[in-house]
Amino acid sequence: IEYNVGEWVHIALVHGSGILTAYKDGILVDSLPSGPTLQPDTGAQPTLHIGGIFNQDSAFEGLIDEVRIWNTALDTATIQTWMEQELITDRF
């Protein structure tokens, strides 16, 4: 997803039904087959990398203000609704 360093942007990645979908500022950028979520075969817990690409020298150039991880694949309308909503919860 292309972005300008120093400019605020909302990026959402959705993985569901073997498809990875990318949104920028609530607008669909691209989708591609990704297959199922793979678990490590070492018995270890999966590792999530945010702001970089595992095993490569590429990294996000900027500051990450907020990260939300949902346990379901969100649709476009939900992403557009939630992208500027403050998350309020008492579960911290």
Side-chain angles (χ1 to χ4, degrees), residues 6-35:
E7 183 177 312
W8 185 92
V9 63
H10 179 273
I11 295 174
L13 299 174
V14 178
H15 185 247
S17 302
I19 303 291
L20 180 63
T21 306
Y23 295 87
K24 177 181 177 183
D25 294 329
I27 299 170
L28 176 67
V29 174
D30 202 359
S31 292
L32 60 111
S34 60

Side-chain angles (χ1 to χ4, degrees), residues 1 6 14 25 53 72 80 91:
I1 299 174
V14 178
D25 294 329
I53 300 173
T72 188
Q80 290 172 344
R91 302 214 264 171

Side-chain angles (χ1 to χ4, degrees), residues 20-58:
L20 180 63
T21 306
Y23 295 87
K24 177 181 177 183
D25 294 329
I27 299 170
L28 176 67
V29 174
D30 202 359
S31 292
L32 60 111
S34 60
T37 301
L38 299 176
Q39 300 295 321
D41 59 4
T42 62
Q45 291 294 316
T47 302
L48 176 64
H49 297 271
I50 298 174
I53 300 173
F54 187 65
N55 288 337
Q56 293 187 18
D57 291 330
S58 180

